[in-house]
Amino acid sequence: MVLLGPRIHFYEINDQSWFPAYFRAKVQAGLTLLWSLDLPFIQPSSPAALVAQTIHNVLGDNISDYTYVDFCAGAGGPTPFIERDLNARLSLTTANGHIDDADDINHGVDFVLTDIAPHLEAWEEAAKKSDNLHYISTSVDAANAPRDLLKPFAKKGSEFKAKQKVFRLFNLAFHHFDDPLAAKILQNSIATSDGFGIFELQGRTFSSMITISLMWPLLLLVSPFYFWRSPGHMFFTYIIPIIPFVIVADGYVSSLRTRTADEIMALMSRNGHVPGWEFRSGSECHTWPTGEMTYFIGLKGKQ
């Protein structure tokens, strides 16, 4: 992988306080759509399904030991799709007799949405669609999360009892943090969780820039099938194309912000050696021929 240059922490339009909330919601809806798209011939699966597949492959038989907590869920993003796909995979695995703890798996694994600025209305709507999707209604700071973050759920009995092990998810989120904040988040993840996964759909490569450039015509192609009931979304896609402009412009910035696995390891080394943890990284094609998903996964207690 040839990098275009060093990481540059430019600002994304959708992150700015002056950017209207109306447009922010439309942009987030467009990004969620891109996570869930499964286009014939050029996508082996949706990017969200690819994340679920990667988690399934890396964690293997230990996958049911964890509760999966999205620490930067925004309005929900890809996590509801990841939850649905991962639990579908687990149901199939159980049916084929490949997992010993079938009673535990039959319930499925649980996912929890959190954010420093909770999106309760969107989360409530998403949680209604799955018994395995939950949320924390109060603000959660990924750099200062307590070890007992899921303790309130332990009181819910059969409704949802969180597993003791927590696996943190950062879906298209980790590049938003500058180096000092990213280092604190990694330090807190090591101290208070049992695993974490950083998943990005872009990188500092020329091929990534090509993929992002193609998102504009892709949005023009697919938006009528998904947003035809929203005149505002259609107007600001085709007449005054604010939505595709922001998605593509922020995509370029996201690419320049994205860290390599070595750079993530360097951030963790600021806090000294990390004993008792195993780290894995890699990439998978999410959109042929230029789109790649990169991942960096840390697991506690693996040797």
Side-chain angles (χ1 to χ4, degrees):
M1 179 176 64
V2 179
L3 300 179
L4 292 175
R7 181 180 184 272
I8 304 175
H9 197 79
F10 287 137
Y11 295 101
E12 296 185 27
I13 298 172
N14 203 43
D15 290 342
Q16 305 309 305
S17 59
W18 51 261
F19 191 59
Y22 174 84
F23 291 124
R24 182 175 293 109
K26 299 299 184 185
V27 169
Q28 289 174 336
L31 290 171
T32 299
L33 172 62
L34 293 173
W35 269 103
S36 60
L37 275 180
D38 185 357
L39 299 174
F41 306 114
I42 65 172
Q43 288 185 312
S45 64
S46 71
L50 195 57
V51 171
Q53 176 185 314
T54 302
I55 294 173
H56 188 272
N57 291 344
V58 173
L59 270 62
D61 291 345
N62 299 315
I63 199 166
S64 63
D65 295 345
Y66 300 88
T67 296
Y68 299 84
V69 183
D70 187 341
F71 271 75
C72 304
T79 298
F81 301 98
I82 296 170
E83 178 272 315
R84 183 176 63 193
D85 189 271
L86 184 58
N87 278 317
R89 291 174 186 273
L90 291 178
S91 296
L92 181 62
T93 302
T94 304
N96 292 335
H98 293 156
I99 284 193
D100 296 332
D101 194 6
D103 292 338
D104 202 18
I105 286 293
N106 283 337
H107 166 71
V109 293
D110 291 296
F111 284 70
V112 180
L113 303 172
T114 75
D115 202 285
I116 198 166
H119 293 65
L120 297 183
E121 185 176 346
W123 294 355
E124 287 174 3
E125 189 63 28
K128 290 178 183 178
K129 299 176 182 178
S130 173
D131 292 336
N132 296 105
L133 188 64
H134 318 274
Y135 61 89
I136 293 177
S137 58
T138 56
S139 177
V140 175
D141 183 354
N144 191 32
R147 175 72 193 183
D148 60 351
L149 176 67
L150 300 181
K151 186 176 181 180
F153 291 107
K155 300 177 182 179
K156 292 190 176 182
S158 59
E159 184 179 335
F160 165 43
K161 187 173 182 180
K163 304 287 176 59
Q164 289 185 347
K165 292 186 176 182
V166 171
F167 188 97
R168 292 188 175 194
L169 290 172
F170 298 95
N171 300 316
L172 205 63
F174 198 74
H175 67 269
H176 286 277
F177 311 127
D178 60 24
D179 283 351
L181 180 56
K184 290 180 181 178
I185 290 172
L186 289 170
Q187 182 180 22
N188 185 258
S189 298
I190 294 294
T192 66
S193 74
D194 305 280
F196 64 88
I198 297 169
F199 300 94
E200 303 280 7
L201 300 184
Q202 74 293 315
R204 300 197 317 268
T205 63
F206 181 69
S207 61
S208 179
M209 294 297 185
I210 293 175
T211 304
I212 291 165
S213 299
L214 294 174
M215 288 196 301
W216 192 314
L218 175 61
L219 288 168
L220 296 181
L221 178 65
V222 303
S223 289
F225 299 99
Y226 295 92
F227 301 116
W228 61 272
R229 293 183 178 179
S230 174
H233 198 108
M234 300 297 287
F235 182 85
F236 289 109
T237 296
Y238 295 97
I239 308 302
I240 304 178
I242 293 176
I243 296 170
F245 171 78
V246 172
I247 288 177
V248 171
D250 281 0
Y252 292 142
V253 174
S254 295
S255 290
L256 297 175
R257 282 176 160 191
T258 303
R259 298 175 177 87
T260 65
D262 288 341
E263 289 167 339
I264 295 173
M265 287 297 300
L267 285 178
M268 282 193 293
S269 69
R270 293 184 178 186
N271 303 311
H273 182 58
V274 186
W277 281 73
E278 176 187 342
F279 302 102
R280 303 185 191 180
S281 61
S283 64
E284 300 285 348
C285 177
H286 68 74
T287 304
W288 184 88
T290 57
E292 282 197 342
M293 177 202 77
T294 62
Y295 64 89
F296 185 93
I297 293 176
L299 295 174
K300 184 179 182 179
K302 299 274 289 184
Q303 300 297 333

